[in-house]
Amino acid sequence: MKDYDLKNPYTGDTIATYTLDDSKSIHTKLKKALEIQTSWANMEIEDRCQLLTNVAELLIERKEEYAKLMSQEMGKPISQGVAEIEKCAWVCDFYALNAEDLLADELIDTDADESFISHDPLGCILAVMPWNYPFWQVLRFAAPTLTAGNTALLKHAKNVTGCSLAIEQLFLDAGYPEGCFQSIKSGHEEIEKLIAHEGIKAITLTGSEKAGRSIARTAGENLKKSVLELGGNNACIIWEDADLDQYISTMATARMQNTGQSCIAAKRFIVCADIYDDFIEKFTAEIKSFKTGDPMDKDTFIGVMAREDLAEELQKQVQDSIDMGAEIILGNERNGAYFSPTILTNVTKEMPVFKEETFGPVAAITKVANREEAIQLATNSRFGLGSMLFTQDIDSAMDMISQIPDGAFFINDMVKSDPRLPFGGTKASGYGRELSKEGILEFVNKKTVYIKK
């Protein structure tokens, strides 16, 4: 077994040392999950929902503790960490209240005396999750998946191991049976082996496109279902009639929240020429108003990036774009894992900050002549997670719904996830859906039942 250290990205201090699970310990955990599966699946749905309510209550009780843990491990501003935990409680409450109806048999009128679709759990589901929203990404999967009667193994990002173990303990403290939800600490090779194991029935991954392709390939080779939520390069389209006074704060927050480390962040700002100068002035002023600094300070809005190498990668994307003609009007300073809020103008579709996902506090701005060019440029992306459009012409905006080939289209608001609505992408942003009814039905067997008496 190998040990690894976790370092606080703001202070550089080592905060914990952990030991990787080896093949033996991973399979011991899988065996536990399989042993508890039948009794867990046979538990009354209202009892599983009550346990989920317990989770929600504990999340609220512990929100300061968990927010502090996120700040220490991956640099999340602590006030945003508290908000993340509150959202986790929301998704638990949503499924605790609605799961029984969402999983109910669906009656179908046929020539049988009785016919319906039942929703049976698949078994043990493997989740591979990222560091940027270390509680939310897990809870939005776990709440519906466990409540549907599945068990789960979580392979979390290495730099948020403490969060991973805290979530496992959270479920135990809420009354879940031992083995129902377990965290594993492993590398890529062990995960590949685990996917191939007959005890794993499906896989969900939130992460990079590279990781998604690898997981999907292994899952496909083993005929396992997979759900992938991958990267995003969301466009923020600003038409000439946008109400900047009302929405400039929303636009800036859409780029800079979580220190810009969000798959659904606004990354490409595509601005009509008639409003461009006004937008630049107000957007820059709004970005400058965000407090940067210590993630543990409740007033901090932009902290450090999760790791220094991520800041270095972002710096290269910015510099390569500058070399191609982009202009810096704010920021572009790095100190360790800190990267200052940055605004780039004169961005063209050939530049890295337009073509690639920039996972940090960098806004790439492109001026276009009119609405038609804005829509054309917005859809010029390999990714398809979400887009946002700001305008007072709602009727014309709604005409664009079918022209935006993304998983989400928001008018006069930032793209965000909501337990009541399905969440997921198209193209290189992945496939499958989380949250809402669609999310809880991703990992069930939709079984046709046909009865003649």
Side-chain angles (χ1 to χ4, degrees), residues 136-436:
W136 170 246
Q137 307 278 20
V138 176
L139 267 297
R140 79 179 184 191
F141 150 77
T145 302
L146 295 179
T147 309
N150 299 293
T151 57
L153 292 179
L154 167 66
K155 191 281 178 192
H156 218 326
K158 183 184 286 188
N159 62 327
V160 289
T161 299
C163 293
S164 180
L165 296 174
I167 297 169
E168 178 179 2
Q169 190 61 48
L170 169 69
F171 281 105
L172 291 171
D173 292 346
Y176 282 71
E178 187 175 350
C180 196
F181 181 96
Q182 298 170 90
S183 173
I184 57 176
K185 306 183 294 294
S186 70
H188 178 74
E189 184 177 336
E190 293 296 337
I191 291 302
E192 294 278 338
K193 294 176 183 177
L194 193 56
I195 293 172
H197 193 286
E198 63 179 2
I200 296 296
K201 300 304 181 185
I203 305 94
T204 182
L205 173 136
T206 298
S208 68
E209 180 185 348
K210 179 180 178 181
R213 289 182 181 277
S214 176
I215 292 290
R217 185 181 307 113
T218 306
E221 289 172 351
N222 290 277
L223 298 179
K224 307 284 180 74
K225 180 174 184 177
S226 59
V227 170
L228 305 180
E229 196 272 278
L230 308 179
N233 196 8
N234 289 6
C236 180
I237 308 159
I238 297 107
W239 279 354
E240 79 289 339
D241 67 337
D243 188 339
L244 296 181
D245 290 333
Q246 182 174 0
Y247 292 118
I248 199 69
S249 177
T250 301
M251 298 174 194
T253 300
R255 171 63 276 199
M256 297 296 170
Q257 70 171 357
N258 204 39
T259 314
Q261 299 167 118
S262 172
C263 55
I264 56 174
K267 299 186 173 85
R268 299 175 296 142
F269 291 81
I270 300 170
V271 188
C272 286
D274 290 349
I275 202 173
Y276 181 82
D277 291 340
D278 196 18
F279 169 79
I280 291 293
E281 179 183 352
K282 292 179 178 178
F283 186 74
T284 303
E286 190 70 25
I287 297 299
K288 285 182 176 179
S289 73
F290 291 148
K291 186 179 187 299
T292 63
D294 187 348
M296 295 294 288
D297 184 341
K298 290 187 177 180
D299 293 328
T300 295
F301 188 82
I302 298 174
V304 291
M305 295 181 65
R307 300 191 312 265
E308 186 171 352
D309 64 296
L310 298 172
E312 291 172 346
E313 181 181 339
L314 182 65
Q315 186 177 40
K316 184 178 187 307
Q317 290 175 302
V318 170
Q319 188 57 53
D320 288 348
S321 298
I322 292 171
D323 293 342
M324 296 174 69
E327 294 185 8
I328 291 287
I329 63 172
L330 182 70
N332 193 31
E333 298 174 0
R334 186 181 72 81
N335 180 13
Y338 173 75
F339 197 91
S340 62
T342 298
I343 300 175
L344 283 165
T345 59
N346 292 340
V347 172
T348 65
K349 62 183 180 182
E350 294 81 17
M351 295 177 182
V353 294
F354 187 95
K355 294 194 304 180
E356 302 170 4
E357 180 176 29
T358 50
F359 217 65
V362 172
I365 303 176
T366 303
K367 183 196 293 188
V368 293
N370 51 47
R371 296 181 176 190
E372 292 73 22
E373 186 181 357
I375 297 298
Q376 182 182 30
L377 200 59
T379 58
N380 182 6
S381 176
R382 296 175 53 255
F383 299 95
L385 197 52
S387 294
M388 55 206 85
L389 169 61
F390 289 87
T391 178
Q392 297 180 62
D393 186 357
I394 302 301
D395 289 341
S396 294
M398 292 184 67
D399 289 340
M400 297 297 106
I401 294 173
S402 62
Q403 296 188 39
I404 302 292
D406 292 0
F409 181 46
F410 279 55
I411 299 171
N412 290 333
D413 207 348
M414 58 191 286
V415 175
K416 52 192 173 185
S417 54
D418 182 317
R420 299 163 293 188
L421 296 169
F423 180 83
T426 62
K427 300 188 283 187
S429 291
Y431 51 76
R433 292 295 180 264
E434 296 181 295
L435 303 176
S436 75

Side-chain angles (χ1 to χ4, degrees), residues 420-453:
R420 299 163 293 188
L421 296 169
F423 180 83
T426 62
K427 300 188 283 187
S429 291
Y431 51 76
R433 292 295 180 264
E434 296 181 295
L435 303 176
S436 75
K437 179 178 181 178
E438 284 74 13
I440 201 169
L441 296 184
E442 282 285 8
F443 297 118
V444 299
N445 176 20
K446 300 171 186 175
K447 181 185 295 179
T448 294
V449 180
Y450 185 97
I451 304 169
K452 279 201 168 183
K453 299 177 181 177

